[in-house]
């Protein structure tokens, strides 16, 4: 059997997951609307179970997904590795040669850039729309943590990755943005995205995309069909709840699991953050993975239940644990 036929057979033969109870969906929808929700979309077994737009928002209205943008860019690394442009565990300094003379920078790998374990300071100022030169600033960012051991969430590491990818693609006369469109956005039937370039044309990788709930859900639908990518998103080791722009709920299986409010934790200085045994919700399936953007932007994917859930909002205090408990507490497969 060819690999393609094997994949098609796997999904055709896979049984449908039990439908999420309607009362659970309605409870979650009511909670979302009451807490600044703008959209809630729930798809299971490839069918829409629920779609609602509240607080003045509509179905076709693009919405900022903030850090949900990171996941799309991180997926370019898997495509680039498949295309033999790079290896995730190669040293960044092999390509960004000006780092070779720096004892600490020369040890940073591509994987560590994308898992935020490089030790680089976050440089949140790179988010500014009128920033002059993100690349130059990111390449000179201070190393404030221990490479491979410190989780430091912020835009600097991703901007270094953009420069690395740009240099890899230069001989092919391509740009990272075009590569993103061909290898990631195209297969999702998504067109060019809002990239917020600096004065030298470098896009902001940490934020910027605007999508409708249905558009963002296509990323979840794609992931349900690619278990090999799901496995790659399990964890980085430095922060076991995060990898390649995605958060996960794997620690929920442990008796020592702690429910952590990701947005609140990220508001703290990186050195004061605690991610040990962190999960999003003890009541939710352990295989749940999520894209998390500011003010309650969420894409949840649950492979075991063939579920994709999108929430768009302006929620000043989003609570993943409560939202997910409403959907999953005491719900059987």
């Amino acid at each position: 059997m060819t690999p393609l036929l094997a994949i098609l057979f796997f999904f055709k033969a896979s049984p449908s997951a039990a439908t999420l109870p309607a009362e659970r969906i309605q409870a979650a929808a009511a909670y979302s609307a009451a807490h600044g929700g703008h959209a809630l979309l729930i798809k299971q077994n490839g069918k829409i179970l629920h779609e609602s737009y509240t607080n003045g928002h509509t179905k076709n209205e693009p919405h900022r997904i903030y850090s949900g943008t990171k996941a799309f860019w991180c997926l370019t690394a898997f495509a680039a590795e498949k295309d033999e442009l790079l290896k995730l565990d190669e040293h960044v300094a092999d390509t960004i040669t000006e780092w070779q003379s720096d004892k600490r920078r020369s040890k940073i790998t591509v994987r560590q850039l994308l898992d935020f374990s490089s030790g680089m300071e976050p440089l949140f100022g790179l988010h500014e729309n009128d920033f002059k030169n993100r690349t130059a600033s990111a390449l000179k960012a201070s190393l404030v943590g221990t490479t491979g051991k410190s989780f430091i969430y912020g835009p600097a590491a991703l901007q270094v990755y953009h420069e690395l990818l740009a240099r890899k693609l230069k001989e092919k006369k391509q740009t990272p943005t075009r590569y993103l469109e061909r290898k990631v956005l195209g297969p999702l039937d998504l067109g060019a995205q809002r990239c917020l370039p600096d004065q030298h044309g470098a896009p902001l990788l940490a934020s910027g995309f605007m999508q409708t709930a249905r558009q963002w859900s296509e990323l979840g639908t794609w992931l349900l069909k690619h278990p090999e990518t799901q496995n790659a998103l399990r964890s980085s080791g430095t922060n076991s709840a995060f990898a390649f722009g995605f958060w996960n709920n794997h620690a929920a299986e442990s008796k020592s699991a702690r429910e952590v409010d990701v947005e609140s934790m990220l508001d703290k200085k990186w050195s004061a953050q605690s991610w040990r045994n962190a999960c999003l919700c003890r009541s939710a399936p352990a295989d749940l993975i999520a894209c998390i953007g500011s003010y309650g932007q969420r894409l949840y994917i649950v492979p075991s239940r063939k579920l994709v859930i999108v929430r768009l909002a302006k929620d000043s205090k989003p609570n993943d644990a409560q939202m997910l408990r409403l959907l999953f507490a005491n719900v059987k497969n």
Side-chain angles (χ1 to χ4, degrees):
M1 183 179 292
T2 67
L4 176 59
L5 288 176
I7 292 172
L8 292 175
F9 177 81
F10 172 81
F11 287 105
K12 183 177 180 180
S14 297
S16 296
T19 303
L20 202 61
E23 63 272 17
R24 292 288 185 172
I25 293 174
Q26 292 305 319
Y31 177 86
S32 177
H35 292 79
H38 295 166
L40 183 65
L41 176 67
I42 301 177
K43 296 164 63 176
Q44 188 173 29
N45 298 316
K47 298 179 180 179
I48 295 178
L49 298 185
H50 175 89
E51 184 174 22
S52 60
Y53 298 88
T54 53
N55 296 311
H57 286 259
T58 59
K59 180 173 68 174
N60 296 320
E61 182 178 356
H63 197 288
R64 292 180 181 179
I65 62 170
Y66 296 99
S67 287
T69 304
K70 292 179 172 69
F72 290 95
W73 278 105
C74 287
L75 288 178
T76 63
F78 296 131
E81 187 168 53
K82 185 176 180 179
D83 289 342
E84 299 184 347
L85 284 174
L86 57 76
K87 293 182 180 179
L88 291 173
D89 293 314
E90 72 180 55
H91 290 108
V92 175
D94 292 344
T95 301
I96 298 180
T97 54
E98 56 267 45
W99 275 17
Q100 291 178 354
S101 60
D102 189 302
K103 185 177 180 180
R104 296 182 66 192
R105 282 182 172 80
S106 63
K107 297 178 181 179
I108 296 172
T109 67
V110 177
R111 185 186 302 274
Q112 289 166 344
L113 290 179
L114 299 176
D115 280 352
F116 298 107
S117 60
S118 68
M120 296 174 62
E121 63 177 321
L123 289 185
F124 292 115
L126 296 176
H127 284 127
E128 296 174 7
N129 292 347
D130 58 352
F131 204 91
K132 184 176 181 180
N133 192 328
R134 293 190 181 107
T135 301
S137 295
L139 290 177
K140 295 177 182 178
S142 298
L143 292 182
V144 295
T146 302
T147 298
K149 294 184 179 180
S150 300
F151 179 75
I152 305 177
Y153 188 88
L158 289 181
Q159 294 305 135
V160 173
Y161 169 70
H162 178 269
E163 177 61 15
L164 177 141
L165 190 57
R167 295 187 190 187
K168 296 278 191 181
L169 290 168
K170 187 175 181 180
E171 290 185 3
K172 297 181 180 296
K173 297 182 179 180
Q174 296 183 38
T175 65
T177 299
R178 179 57 183 149
Y179 192 77
L180 169 79
E181 291 169 355
R182 288 178 51 244
K183 296 292 184 173
V184 178
L185 300 177
L188 300 177
D189 290 326
L190 296 173
Q193 297 292 303
R194 173 177 173 267
C195 287
L196 303 178
D198 65 13
Q199 293 181 24
H200 289 260
L204 176 63
L205 273 64
S207 186
F209 285 11
M210 295 185 69
Q211 297 183 350
T212 65
R214 288 197 177 198
Q215 287 175 327
W216 202 10
S217 75
E218 291 304 314
L219 174 57
T221 299
W222 183 89
L223 279 170
L224 289 180
K225 298 176 182 178
H226 291 81
E228 74 286 355
T229 305
Q230 296 169 25
N231 291 334
L233 302 178
R234 288 188 64 86
S235 74
S236 67
T238 301
N239 179 353
S240 61
F242 180 87
F244 297 99
F246 291 82
W247 298 84
N248 69 67
N249 200 45
H250 296 307
E253 294 179 316
S254 171
K255 292 181 180 179
S256 58
R258 295 187 305 121
E259 291 181 346
V260 171
D261 185 308
V262 170
E263 289 196 56
S264 293
M265 187 66 73
L266 290 175
D267 282 340
K268 299 180 181 180
K269 187 177 179 179
W270 71 267
S271 56
Q273 296 170 12
S274 175
W275 301 102
R276 186 173 182 178
N277 300 321
C279 73
L280 298 177
C281 178
R282 287 190 296 266
S283 300
D287 67 331
L288 180 147
I289 54 179
C291 294
I292 292 180
S294 298
Y295 306 112
Q297 317 323 311
R298 300 292 188 268
L299 168 64
Y300 302 117
I301 305 105
V302 187
S304 61
R305 297 178 184 268
K306 298 180 174 56
L307 266 170
V308 175
I309 303 166
V310 175
R311 183 184 186 229
L312 302 174
K314 185 65 180 291
D315 189 342
S316 59
K317 293 184 178 180
N319 189 324
D320 291 286
Q322 179 60 16
M323 182 78 179
L324 292 170
R325 238 188 313 274
L326 288 169
L327 285 168
F328 295 111
N330 301 316
V331 174
K332 297 181 179 180
N333 284 324

